[in-house]
Amino acid sequence: MLIRAASCSDADVRHAAAASLGWWTPHDPDSTLWALRALRIDPDVETRRAAVAALARLGERAALNEILAGLTAEEPAIRTATIARVAAEE
């Protein structure tokens, strides 16, 4: 159901799907990773962020590196935004 929702035309539904994935071991890891990687380039910025967070929760190295880059950025605003992004994940 979440995999189908990830390709919905409604950005709010795609965001909810991305935010809901990655909290447990996926039943179908290949489909889950494929869906989240597609959402990583979604037009909606919040959906993209949720997809990266879900991929990081699943241990995808590229997503973890993206978050690490934000945490170690020289620009304080980027570090602060990344910290807020990580803290918002429950």
Side-chain angles (χ1 to χ4, degrees), residues 46-80:
E46 293 303 320
T47 300
R48 289 193 307 267
R49 288 179 179 159
V52 169
L55 286 165
R57 287 192 298 271
L58 292 171
E60 187 199 52
R61 185 177 303 277
L64 292 168
N65 285 337
E66 185 174 328
I67 292 172
L68 178 61
L71 292 172
T72 59
E74 290 196 24
E75 177 64 42
I78 294 173
R79 287 193 312 267
T80 301

Side-chain angles (χ1 to χ4, degrees), residues 26-59:
H27 174 70
D28 183 353
D30 292 336
S31 293
T32 301
L33 292 174
W34 181 87
L36 288 169
R37 288 176 182 146
L39 290 173
R40 182 183 237 157
I41 58 170
D42 193 87
D44 179 65
V45 66
E46 293 303 320
T47 300
R48 289 193 307 267
R49 288 179 179 159
V52 169
L55 286 165
R57 287 192 298 271
L58 292 171

Side-chain angles (χ1 to χ4, degrees), residues 2 4-20 39 42-44 47 50:
L2 291 173
R4 274 187 296 167
S7 62
C8 181
S9 61
D10 185 327
D12 290 335
V13 172
R14 291 191 313 274
H15 176 253
S20 297
L39 290 173
D42 193 87
D44 179 65
T47 300

